[in-house]
Every structure is written in C-alpha cells, then in structure tokens.
Amino acid sequence: MERRLKEILAAAEKNIFNIADHNSLNNYWLELFGSNGIITKIFKDFKTLPSSQKPEIGKMANEIKNKVNSFFNLRKIEINKLKLKQVLDVTMPGFRPPQGHLHLVSYAISEITSIFENIGFTRVRYPEVEWEWYAFESLNMPKNHPARDDIETFFIDTPSSKKYGRMVLSPHTSSGQVREMERVKSIAPIRMINIAKCYRPNWDISHTPMFHQFEGLVVDSGINITHLKGTMDYFARKFFGPQRKTRLRPFHFRFTEPSFEVDINCGLCLGKGVLDNGEKCRLCKSGWLELGGSGMVHPKVLLNGHIDPQKYTGFAFGWGVERTYLMKEGMKISDLRILYQNDIRFLEQF
Ligand code: DAH
C-alpha cells in the first residue's frame, strides 16, 4: 500500500500540473476523490490492513491526500492567472458598443425636408392637438358636411371654444395651411413644407393610428397647375429615383379645386399587382399606390387665411410619410404596423 500511495502522488502531481482548464481539473479531482476515486478506494482498503500497520500507513495516506489537494488548489490559481493573462491581452481587438441610429421614418422626414428645402420650401410644424377650425372649418369642411366623415378623428375631451370648436388630434397636416397663412401675416409668397404626426382611429396592414404626413403649400401670384405638377414630378424623381412613375387622378377635396389623387407604381410588386411567388400583392392589389391628395387651393381657404384669391393662387398636397417611404425602391414591407412595434430585429436593418 505504501508503494501504491507513492505512485499515486507522483502521477497526480504530474497530471494536475498538465491540466489547463477548470473543467478538466474538476474531472480529474473526481477520478481521485469521487465515490469510486482512486484515493477514496485506498481509504476504503485501509480497514483491511493489520492494525500494526494502520498508524504509519494512515499518517502517510493523510499526508498524500493533503498534498494532492494542495496541488489542486495551486493549479486552480495558476489556471485563473492564465485566463487573466488572456483577458488582459492588450493586442486583442476591442468590443464595439452597440450603436443606435435614427428610426427609418426620421430618415424619411429628413430626406423629404431636404428635397423641398432645396427648392425654397420652409419646414414648419403645427400643433398635434388642434382646433376643429384649423383641422376642418378653415379648410372649407363645415360641421355636418359628409366629407368630414371621411376623415375619422380623435376628439379630445375638453371644453370647446366658441370660435374654434372642439379640440382634436390633428388628423392631417392640412391643419397647418391656414396657420401658415397666419404665420406669414397673410403676405405671399408661401412655400411651406409641414411634416408632422397625424392621428386617426384605424389599425390594419396599411394603417396605424399615429402616422406622418408631409404637406406642401405654395401661394403666390400666378401659381397654376403646372407648378403643382412640376413640383410633384421633381419630388418623385429625387425621392424614388428617375425610374418611378406618378399619375394624377381627378378627385374631390373640399379644400382644393380642382383636386387630384397622386399615385405611384408599387415598390413591392413594381406595378404588376402580383408578387414573384404568384400571390396577389398584399400592399397595393392593383400595381398603383395612392400617395395622397393634391390640388389648387380653394379660394375660401385663402380667404380664411386673409389672402385675396383675386390676387393670389396656390397649390397644396398632403402625402403620408410612411406610405411614401415604403414605396421607395427596395422596401419590401407588407405590413405597415411593424414600423411602430419597436422590434429591434426589424429596425436595425435600416
Ligand atoms: N388632407 C388630406 C388627407 O389627409 C390630404 C390632402 C389632399 C392634402 C389634398 C392636400 C390636398 O393639401 O390638396 O386626406
């Protein structure tokens, strides 16, 4: 037994100091001290020794057990030091902290802003909590007029004003038209680009209750439809690229006369109405997507902003930012709501 003990000590010392990680060290400890371990077994066999040998061999076995344990402890410290050395390797490349970026709608807004600023428009913003007067009446949409039903609205539960009516969450950026005329004290020219949050109680694949619009308003002497058409063509070329197409469809809005819907060919199916897999395009259904309205400013709206319609004319347009951005080439999003679900896996792609 004495020889066995010496052999065990020599082998353990050699093995322990060759082990390079904590896992293997633990496994080796179990080989020696586990319930079937080599050293455990020696202590079991100890009972069978003649009692004359017990004191000497017992002492030796204990010493060897303690020595082996101290080798384990020593090696644990050495392995920690080795690991530490690796962690402190100053030549290793550093970890990059995660870097955020603007939301894609913010990118779209700054791009739209700069496109219009380049041709002399001024970016403005007007209240999101608005009076009915600016949102409807001043735009030639009197109370109880059926056109007002088309624009579903969130009403604010506050006392209403005699002059301005009830408070609403602005359902469109057109609310800024008469506010802009007031800002410039009714002195033309006006070249406004109003980009803001709008609110309507809708929630489906192409609507979120909060969305963004950008509204253009130009008022000056001699403004006519060619200026409207030219401005929209300019924007379409700059924002979507030279290949994207727009079309004008006669329409009706209370605040413009004549009025048009501006359409652009769909970026998801590229105007075919059918996806590559043969399915009907979920986003557009027909190949064309409605960007929003436009038209020549109604004389009553100019009058509400104290501008003389005999001297001045104007055009206006109001398009959805999200809608417009999605139609941009390469954007294949079939459900608009994902924009505001804060899923980082979606957002970090842009
Ligand atoms: N305000 C309209 C809407 O939200 C869009 C619109 C149509 C704006 C025609 C305009 C316009 O400026 O001329 O549905």
Side-chain angles (χ1 to χ4, degrees), residues 152-182:
E152 294 167 65
T153 309
F154 286 111
F155 288 92
I156 310 271
D157 196 5
T158 47
S160 55
S161 145
K162 265 220 169 86
K163 198 169 164 198
Y164 296 115
R166 284 175 293 175
M167 271 192 166
V168 296
L169 290 185
S170 184
H172 55 179
T173 42
S174 305
S175 316
Q177 289 196 14
V178 170
R179 281 196 178 272
E180 176 71 358
M181 295 176 201
E182 289 175 356

mmCIF file of all heavy atoms in Angstrom, residues 152-182:
data_model
loop_
_atom_site.group_PDB
_atom_site.id
_atom_site.type_symbol
_atom_site.label_atom_id
_atom_site.label_comp_id
_atom_site.label_asym_id
_atom_site.label_seq_id
_atom_site.Cartn_x
_atom_site.Cartn_y
_atom_site.Cartn_z
ATOM 1 N N GLU A 152 -61.773 60.236 -40.211
ATOM 2 C CA GLU A 152 -62.167 59.873 -38.847
ATOM 3 C C GLU A 152 -61.214 60.534 -37.869
ATOM 4 O O GLU A 152 -60.024 60.643 -38.145
ATOM 5 C CB GLU A 152 -62.102 58.357 -38.687
ATOM 6 C CG GLU A 152 -63.123 57.636 -39.542
ATOM 7 C CD GLU A 152 -62.807 56.165 -39.598
ATOM 8 O OE1 GLU A 152 -62.880 55.512 -38.545
ATOM 9 O OE2 GLU A 152 -62.471 55.683 -40.678
ATOM 10 N N THR A 153 -61.742 60.947 -36.744
ATOM 11 C CA THR A 153 -60.970 61.846 -35.888
ATOM 12 C C THR A 153 -61.053 61.455 -34.419
ATOM 13 O O THR A 153 -62.096 61.010 -33.944
ATOM 14 C CB THR A 153 -61.523 63.282 -36.065
ATOM 15 O OG1 THR A 153 -61.570 63.575 -37.448
ATOM 16 C CG2 THR A 153 -60.643 64.302 -35.371
ATOM 17 N N PHE A 154 -59.943 61.627 -33.722
ATOM 18 C CA PHE A 154 -59.917 61.513 -32.257
ATOM 19 C C PHE A 154 -60.299 62.870 -31.675
ATOM 20 O O PHE A 154 -59.623 63.868 -31.961
ATOM 21 C CB PHE A 154 -58.499 61.196 -31.771
ATOM 22 C CG PHE A 154 -58.043 59.779 -32.010
ATOM 23 C CD1 PHE A 154 -57.041 59.503 -32.931
ATOM 24 C CD2 PHE A 154 -58.561 58.724 -31.260
ATOM 25 C CE1 PHE A 154 -56.586 58.199 -33.126
ATOM 26 C CE2 PHE A 154 -58.105 57.425 -31.456
ATOM 27 C CZ PHE A 154 -57.123 57.163 -32.389
ATOM 28 N N PHE A 155 -61.342 62.908 -30.864
ATOM 29 C CA PHE A 155 -61.711 64.161 -30.201
ATOM 30 C C PHE A 155 -61.156 64.179 -28.789
ATOM 31 O O PHE A 155 -61.117 63.152 -28.117
ATOM 32 C CB PHE A 155 -63.237 64.313 -30.186
ATOM 33 C CG PHE A 155 -63.783 64.619 -31.551
ATOM 34 C CD1 PHE A 155 -64.208 63.606 -32.394
ATOM 35 C CD2 PHE A 155 -63.823 65.934 -32.015
ATOM 36 C CE1 PHE A 155 -64.684 63.878 -33.666
ATOM 37 C CE2 PHE A 155 -64.302 66.217 -33.289
ATOM 38 C CZ PHE A 155 -64.729 65.192 -34.112
ATOM 39 N N ILE A 156 -60.734 65.373 -28.360
ATOM 40 C CA ILE A 156 -60.190 65.499 -27.005
ATOM 41 C C ILE A 156 -61.331 65.932 -26.084
ATOM 42 O O ILE A 156 -62.109 66.816 -26.436
ATOM 43 C CB ILE A 156 -59.084 66.588 -26.952
ATOM 44 C CG1 ILE A 156 -58.059 66.361 -28.063
ATOM 45 C CG2 ILE A 156 -58.447 66.666 -25.564
ATOM 46 C CD1 ILE A 156 -56.921 65.483 -27.731
ATOM 47 N N ASP A 157 -61.364 65.287 -24.918
ATOM 48 C CA ASP A 157 -62.472 65.540 -24.003
ATOM 49 C C ASP A 157 -62.197 66.792 -23.162
ATOM 50 O O ASP A 157 -61.911 66.724 -21.969
ATOM 51 C CB ASP A 157 -62.629 64.297 -23.108
ATOM 52 C CG ASP A 157 -63.963 64.287 -22.411
ATOM 53 O OD1 ASP A 157 -64.780 65.187 -22.702
ATOM 54 O OD2 ASP A 157 -64.169 63.387 -21.568
ATOM 55 N N THR A 158 -62.269 67.955 -23.808
ATOM 56 C CA THR A 158 -62.041 69.230 -23.102
ATOM 57 C C THR A 158 -63.151 70.193 -23.546
ATOM 58 O O THR A 158 -63.773 69.982 -24.584
ATOM 59 C CB THR A 158 -60.676 69.851 -23.471
ATOM 60 O OG1 THR A 158 -60.538 69.810 -24.890
ATOM 61 C CG2 THR A 158 -59.519 69.131 -22.824
ATOM 62 N N PRO A 159 -63.351 71.263 -22.794
ATOM 63 C CA PRO A 159 -64.395 72.224 -23.203
ATOM 64 C C PRO A 159 -64.074 72.786 -24.582
ATOM 65 O O PRO A 159 -62.905 73.008 -24.904
ATOM 66 C CB PRO A 159 -64.289 73.328 -22.147
ATOM 67 C CG PRO A 159 -63.543 72.742 -21.000
ATOM 68 C CD PRO A 159 -62.675 71.664 -21.547
ATOM 69 N N SER A 160 -65.119 73.016 -25.385
ATOM 70 C CA SER A 160 -64.817 73.520 -26.738
ATOM 71 C C SER A 160 -64.836 75.049 -26.741
ATOM 72 O O SER A 160 -65.351 75.692 -25.837
ATOM 73 C CB SER A 160 -65.807 72.945 -27.742
ATOM 74 O OG SER A 160 -67.117 73.219 -27.332
ATOM 75 N N SER A 161 -64.245 75.582 -27.803
ATOM 76 C CA SER A 161 -64.138 77.036 -27.924
ATOM 77 C C SER A 161 -65.249 77.521 -28.851
ATOM 78 O O SER A 161 -65.566 76.857 -29.842
ATOM 79 C CB SER A 161 -62.754 77.370 -28.493
ATOM 80 O OG SER A 161 -62.821 78.486 -29.343
ATOM 81 N N LYS A 162 -65.823 78.680 -28.526
ATOM 82 C CA LYS A 162 -66.884 79.238 -29.377
ATOM 83 C C LYS A 162 -66.355 79.477 -30.772
ATOM 84 O O LYS A 162 -66.983 79.208 -31.789
ATOM 85 C CB LYS A 162 -67.360 80.569 -28.775
ATOM 86 C CG LYS A 162 -68.575 80.428 -27.899
ATOM 87 C CD LYS A 162 -69.530 81.612 -28.141
ATOM 88 C CE LYS A 162 -70.868 81.371 -27.492
ATOM 89 N NZ LYS A 162 -70.890 81.803 -26.073
ATOM 90 N N LYS A 163 -65.113 80.009 -30.802
ATOM 91 C CA LYS A 163 -64.537 80.417 -32.072
ATOM 92 C C LYS A 163 -63.954 79.241 -32.859
ATOM 93 O O LYS A 163 -64.099 79.151 -34.080
ATOM 94 C CB LYS A 163 -63.428 81.427 -31.771
ATOM 95 C CG LYS A 163 -63.019 82.272 -32.947
ATOM 96 C CD LYS A 163 -62.116 83.404 -32.488
ATOM 97 C CE LYS A 163 -61.386 84.013 -33.662
ATOM 98 N NZ LYS A 163 -60.231 84.788 -33.233
ATOM 99 N N TYR A 164 -63.289 78.330 -32.136
ATOM 100 C CA TYR A 164 -62.510 77.289 -32.830
ATOM 101 C C TYR A 164 -63.117 75.890 -32.755
ATOM 102 O O TYR A 164 -62.581 74.956 -33.334
ATOM 103 C CB TYR A 164 -61.091 77.237 -32.272
ATOM 104 C CG TYR A 164 -60.300 78.511 -32.514
ATOM 105 C CD1 TYR A 164 -59.880 79.311 -31.447
ATOM 106 C CD2 TYR A 164 -59.974 78.899 -33.809
ATOM 107 C CE1 TYR A 164 -59.152 80.468 -31.670
ATOM 108 C CE2 TYR A 164 -59.247 80.060 -34.035
ATOM 109 C CZ TYR A 164 -58.842 80.840 -32.970
ATOM 110 O OH TYR A 164 -58.126 81.974 -33.199
ATOM 111 N N GLY A 165 -64.200 75.735 -32.011
ATOM 112 C CA GLY A 165 -64.844 74.415 -31.919
ATOM 113 C C GLY A 165 -64.164 73.493 -30.925
ATOM 114 O O GLY A 165 -63.532 73.950 -29.973
ATOM 115 N N ARG A 166 -64.273 72.187 -31.187
ATOM 116 C CA ARG A 166 -63.699 71.210 -30.263
ATOM 117 C C ARG A 166 -62.194 71.015 -30.510
ATOM 118 O O ARG A 166 -61.692 71.405 -31.557
ATOM 119 C CB ARG A 166 -64.400 69.861 -30.435
ATOM 120 C CG ARG A 166 -65.780 69.824 -29.814
ATOM 121 C CD ARG A 166 -66.500 68.531 -30.101
ATOM 122 N NE ARG A 166 -66.819 68.419 -31.522
ATOM 123 C CZ ARG A 166 -67.373 67.331 -32.072
ATOM 124 N NH1 ARG A 166 -67.629 66.272 -31.330
ATOM 125 N NH2 ARG A 166 -67.659 67.303 -33.363
ATOM 126 N N MET A 167 -61.552 70.383 -29.526
ATOM 127 C CA MET A 167 -60.135 70.044 -29.716
ATOM 128 C C MET A 167 -60.039 68.643 -30.294
ATOM 129 O O MET A 167 -60.793 67.747 -29.897
ATOM 130 C CB MET A 167 -59.396 70.081 -28.386
ATOM 131 C CG MET A 167 -58.834 71.421 -28.047
ATOM 132 S SD MET A 167 -57.712 71.236 -26.673
ATOM 133 C CE MET A 167 -56.897 72.803 -26.772
ATOM 134 N N VAL A 168 -59.107 68.456 -31.218
ATOM 135 C CA VAL A 168 -58.926 67.141 -31.852
ATOM 136 C C VAL A 168 -57.437 66.817 -31.896
ATOM 137 O O VAL A 168 -56.595 67.706 -31.724
ATOM 138 C CB VAL A 168 -59.473 67.146 -33.307
ATOM 139 C CG1 VAL A 168 -60.975 67.388 -33.320
ATOM 140 C CG2 VAL A 168 -58.766 68.186 -34.172
ATOM 141 N N LEU A 169 -57.132 65.541 -32.126
ATOM 142 C CA LEU A 169 -55.750 65.217 -32.507
ATOM 143 C C LEU A 169 -55.705 65.453 -34.007
ATOM 144 O O LEU A 169 -56.517 64.892 -34.752
ATOM 145 C CB LEU A 169 -55.426 63.755 -32.194
ATOM 146 C CG LEU A 169 -55.308 63.384 -30.722
ATOM 147 C CD1 LEU A 169 -54.874 61.932 -30.586
ATOM 148 C CD2 LEU A 169 -54.325 64.287 -29.999
ATOM 149 N N SER A 170 -54.800 66.291 -34.455
ATOM 150 C CA SER A 170 -54.791 66.702 -35.851
ATOM 151 C C SER A 170 -54.821 65.478 -36.773
ATOM 152 O O SER A 170 -53.916 64.643 -36.739
ATOM 153 C CB SER A 170 -53.550 67.547 -36.123
ATOM 154 O OG SER A 170 -53.616 67.994 -37.449
ATOM 155 N N PRO A 171 -55.886 65.342 -37.586
ATOM 156 C CA PRO A 171 -55.997 64.131 -38.408
ATOM 157 C C PRO A 171 -55.227 64.234 -39.720
ATOM 158 O O PRO A 171 -55.116 63.257 -40.450
ATOM 159 C CB PRO A 171 -57.505 64.042 -38.684
ATOM 160 C CG PRO A 171 -57.958 65.464 -38.678
ATOM 161 C CD PRO A 171 -57.060 66.215 -37.736
ATOM 162 N N HIS A 172 -54.732 65.426 -40.035
ATOM 163 C CA HIS A 172 -53.928 65.608 -41.248
ATOM 164 C C HIS A 172 -53.086 66.884 -41.121
ATOM 165 O O HIS A 172 -53.363 67.741 -40.271
ATOM 166 C CB HIS A 172 -54.803 65.646 -42.515
ATOM 167 C CG HIS A 172 -55.899 66.677 -42.494
ATOM 168 N ND1 HIS A 172 -56.751 66.868 -43.551
ATOM 169 C CD2 HIS A 172 -56.272 67.584 -41.557
ATOM 170 C CE1 HIS A 172 -57.606 67.835 -43.265
ATOM 171 N NE2 HIS A 172 -57.337 68.286 -42.061
ATOM 172 N N THR A 173 -52.068 66.976 -41.962
ATOM 173 C CA THR A 173 -51.205 68.162 -41.886
ATOM 174 C C THR A 173 -51.832 69.363 -42.581
ATOM 175 O O THR A 173 -51.294 70.473 -42.493
ATOM 176 C CB THR A 173 -49.825 67.861 -42.513
ATOM 177 O OG1 THR A 173 -50.030 67.109 -43.718
ATOM 178 C CG2 THR A 173 -48.936 67.087 -41.564
ATOM 179 N N SER A 174 -52.978 69.160 -43.249
ATOM 180 C CA SER A 174 -53.667 70.294 -43.867
ATOM 181 C C SER A 174 -54.063 71.324 -42.808
ATOM 182 O O SER A 174 -54.248 72.508 -43.125
ATOM 183 C CB SER A 174 -54.910 69.820 -44.617
ATOM 184 O OG SER A 174 -54.559 68.830 -45.551
ATOM 185 N N SER A 175 -54.169 70.871 -41.538
ATOM 186 C CA SER A 175 -54.476 71.811 -40.446
ATOM 187 C C SER A 175 -53.467 72.952 -40.393
ATOM 188 O O SER A 175 -53.749 74.000 -39.815
ATOM 189 C CB SER A 175 -54.443 71.093 -39.095
ATOM 190 O OG SER A 175 -55.100 69.864 -39.156
ATOM 191 N N GLY A 176 -52.300 72.748 -40.980
ATOM 192 C CA GLY A 176 -51.259 73.784 -40.956
ATOM 193 C C GLY A 176 -51.424 74.836 -42.051
ATOM 194 O O GLY A 176 -50.702 75.839 -42.049
ATOM 195 N N GLN A 177 -52.365 74.627 -42.991
ATOM 196 C CA GLN A 177 -52.454 75.572 -44.126
ATOM 197 C C GLN A 177 -52.811 76.987 -43.674
ATOM 198 O O GLN A 177 -52.080 77.942 -43.961
ATOM 199 C CB GLN A 177 -53.474 75.069 -45.158
ATOM 200 C CG GLN A 177 -52.991 73.842 -45.923
ATOM 201 C CD GLN A 177 -53.813 73.583 -47.178
ATOM 202 O OE1 GLN A 177 -54.582 74.432 -47.629
ATOM 203 N NE2 GLN A 177 -53.646 72.408 -47.750
ATOM 204 N N VAL A 178 -53.929 77.116 -42.965
ATOM 205 C CA VAL A 178 -54.349 78.461 -42.544
ATOM 206 C C VAL A 178 -53.428 78.982 -41.443
ATOM 207 O O VAL A 178 -53.131 80.184 -41.381
ATOM 208 C CB VAL A 178 -55.843 78.455 -42.145
ATOM 209 C CG1 VAL A 178 -56.231 79.764 -41.471
ATOM 210 C CG2 VAL A 178 -56.695 78.241 -43.396
ATOM 211 N N ARG A 179 -52.899 78.078 -40.605
ATOM 212 C CA ARG A 179 -51.917 78.506 -39.592
ATOM 213 C C ARG A 179 -50.698 79.131 -40.271
ATOM 214 O O ARG A 179 -50.155 80.130 -39.796
ATOM 215 C CB ARG A 179 -51.491 77.328 -38.718
ATOM 216 C CG ARG A 179 -52.502 76.982 -37.644
ATOM 217 C CD ARG A 179 -51.881 76.089 -36.576
ATOM 218 N NE ARG A 179 -52.791 75.776 -35.495
ATOM 219 C CZ ARG A 179 -52.947 76.520 -34.409
ATOM 220 N NH1 ARG A 179 -52.251 77.632 -34.252
ATOM 221 N NH2 ARG A 179 -53.799 76.146 -33.451
ATOM 222 N N GLU A 180 -50.267 78.555 -41.398
ATOM 223 C CA GLU A 180 -49.106 79.103 -42.107
ATOM 224 C C GLU A 180 -49.432 80.480 -42.699
ATOM 225 O O GLU A 180 -48.612 81.402 -42.646
ATOM 226 C CB GLU A 180 -48.661 78.136 -43.208
ATOM 227 C CG GLU A 180 -47.523 78.624 -44.095
ATOM 228 C CD GLU A 180 -46.155 78.682 -43.399
ATOM 229 O OE1 GLU A 180 -46.082 78.380 -42.191
ATOM 230 O OE2 GLU A 180 -45.175 79.057 -44.069
ATOM 231 N N MET A 181 -50.653 80.609 -43.243
ATOM 232 C CA MET A 181 -51.048 81.911 -43.790
ATOM 233 C C MET A 181 -51.030 82.954 -42.668
ATOM 234 O O MET A 181 -50.602 84.092 -42.862
ATOM 235 C CB MET A 181 -52.440 81.826 -44.428
ATOM 236 C CG MET A 181 -52.466 80.911 -45.657
ATOM 237 S SD MET A 181 -54.134 80.737 -46.327
ATOM 238 C CE MET A 181 -53.992 79.219 -47.248
ATOM 239 N N GLU A 182 -51.453 82.542 -41.470
ATOM 240 C CA GLU A 182 -51.429 83.468 -40.323
ATOM 241 C C GLU A 182 -49.992 83.771 -39.906
ATOM 242 O O GLU A 182 -49.653 84.906 -39.578
ATOM 243 C CB GLU A 182 -52.206 82.872 -39.142
ATOM 244 C CG GLU A 182 -53.709 82.846 -39.399
ATOM 245 C CD GLU A 182 -54.500 82.144 -38.294
ATOM 246 O OE1 GLU A 182 -53.888 81.604 -37.351
ATOM 247 O OE2 GLU A 182 -55.747 82.130 -38.410
#
